[in-house]
Amino acid sequence: MPDAFIYTIGDVSNLTGVPKQTLDAWERRYGLLQPSIGLNNRRLYSMRQVARVHLLRDCVEGGQRISTLVHLSDAQLRHLARRDTASEVQIQKLISLVAEMKVDELEASLGLHLLTMGTILFVEELVVPVMEEVGKRWENGSIPVAAEHLLTASVRNLLVSTLRLAGRRGSKKRVMFATLDGEHHEIGLLSSALIMVNHGVDPLYLGTGVPAKEVACAASKTGAVTVVIGSTMADADLFAEILLDVRRQLPQQISIIAGGKPATHIRWQTIEGVAAFDSMSGLNDYMKRGGFDAS
């Protein structure tokens, strides 16, 4: 949980590389962090605060003065820190944690990267290349299947918990998220939900393997204005047929957003009421332009 106060000042120092003396000075002079006081008067910090210190460190190392940074938002710090890509060092560090099955360090590192990079960069620049490399190493036998499953579960659990905290119940823009029957990859679907939550939607997350007929039924009954369907299907034409079937079953006012591997291979304009994206940034740009009409 990003807002749970569980890290000591020593943990913050170890996770960010900022000496404890420096953290104490930043807290004393600028009121940088507001810790929770635990047993024996121990100062405890949240992962969100750890992520902010990480961004501040990057900015300071880039030549910025700490006194000019403390009042900036996380988004402004991220821009100054130029956290627009994942370094090879970060990728290899995560792969090492996966291979060695260091669960606690892996989960802490993933959470920190999500908070400092944001959803789109975290998924596209970090998670995807790490998963691809871990998959290759599993295929050649250098990483056990348990380690690959650990990575997938850790990323999934992080995204699910973040989505649960970020969800906007009561929004008029209720959007349902699902993959269809036989499709069980959901990292892209969860990432899409997080991106759309940032644009004010109320996420109704059904998860994976939902039959097409039930997707249409659930959307109608729950008052969804849009259905997001993720897919990793290799046969784009087959996916288009299934999608068209879902489109026929949905009321006209409910739109569909389709994403994943098939999106680049289908002429989506032939299916009225369907938009498709093969990247998180494409979906985000679509939402910035107004997305669907949910007024």
Side-chain angles (χ1 to χ4, degrees):
M1 294 292 185
D3 295 310
F5 290 85
I6 58 176
Y7 298 100
T8 66
I9 190 72
D11 295 330
V12 177
S13 178
N14 291 333
L15 287 167
T16 63
V18 179
K20 288 192 288 186
Q21 296 90 335
T22 301
L23 291 171
D24 286 334
W26 287 357
E27 189 172 320
R28 185 174 61 255
R29 294 174 187 172
Y30 308 109
L32 176 63
L33 302 174
Q34 296 182 347
S36 173
I37 305 301
L39 295 176
N40 300 320
N41 289 321
R42 295 179 72 190
R43 290 175 293 170
L44 297 176
Y45 303 85
S46 69
M47 177 56 76
R48 197 177 301 278
Q49 290 175 314
V50 174
R52 183 169 176 80
V53 171
H54 208 287
L55 288 171
L56 287 166
R57 184 210 67 183
D58 288 351
C59 291
V60 169
E61 290 180 350
Q64 304 289 330
R65 294 173 61 88
I66 185 64
S67 59
T68 66
L69 298 171
V70 291
H71 301 299
L72 298 181
S73 68
D74 288 353
Q76 291 171 315
L77 291 175
R78 191 178 296 118
H79 177 73
L80 283 175
R82 297 181 179 178
R83 293 300 293 268
D84 54 0
T85 187
S87 70
E88 185 62 26
V89 172
Q90 292 171 322
I91 291 171
Q92 293 303 321
K93 174 63 174 177
L94 282 177
I95 292 172
S96 296
L97 293 176
V98 173
E100 297 168 18
M101 299 192 72
K102 293 184 176 180
V103 182
D104 294 337
E105 291 182 49
L106 175 63
E107 292 180 345
S109 183
L110 287 170
L112 182 60
H113 285 308
L114 176 59
L115 288 171
T116 56
M117 298 178 75
T119 303
I120 296 173
L121 294 175
F122 173 72
V123 173
E124 293 187 340
E125 300 290 337
L126 189 66
V127 171
V128 170
V130 168
M131 284 188 157
E132 287 178 348
E133 181 60 26
V134 168
K136 291 177 183 177
R137 296 191 188 189
W138 167 70
E139 288 179 351
N140 66 31
S142 60
I143 281 183
V145 66
E148 185 200 24
H149 288 186
L150 171 64
L151 172 61
T152 302
S154 297
V155 173
R156 181 193 181 278
N157 291 342
L158 173 62
L159 295 177
V160 167
S161 63
T162 305
L163 179 62
R164 186 178 297 117
L165 290 172
R168 302 191 178 188
R169 297 294 172 188
S171 168
K172 293 181 180 179
K173 304 176 184 178
R174 173 164 291 178
V175 176
M176 194 174 77
F177 298 82
T179 70
L180 299 177
D181 201 15
E183 301 239 33
H184 300 290
H185 296 280
E186 62 177 327
I187 300 303
L189 188 70
L190 282 165
S191 303
S192 298
L194 278 174
I195 289 170
M196 294 183 73
V197 162
N198 290 332
H199 291 280
V201 310
D202 171 16
L204 181 60
Y205 188 79
L206 298 189
T208 63
V210 184
K213 184 178 294 186
E214 295 186 21
V215 167
C217 180
S220 298
K221 288 186 176 181
T222 58
V225 298
T226 294
V227 176
V228 177
I229 299 175
S231 177
T232 58
M233 191 176 292
D235 189 337
D237 291 333
L238 176 59
F239 181 59
E241 292 179 13
I242 297 173
L243 198 62
L244 183 57
D245 183 49
V246 176
R247 173 67 276 171
R248 291 192 185 109
Q249 296 179 57
L250 282 172
Q252 186 176 3
Q253 69 271 20
I254 300 179
S255 61
I256 295 176
I257 294 176
K261 290 182 179 179
T264 55
H265 303 292
I266 302 175
R267 295 180 179 177
W268 297 102
Q269 62 268 28
T270 62
I271 307 178
E272 186 177 354
V274 176
F277 306 94
D278 61 349
S279 70
M280 300 298 142
S281 53
L283 173 61
N284 191 51
D285 289 342
Y286 172 73
M287 295 301 295
K288 283 182 178 179
R289 295 194 301 269
F292 47 82
D293 180 10
S295 59

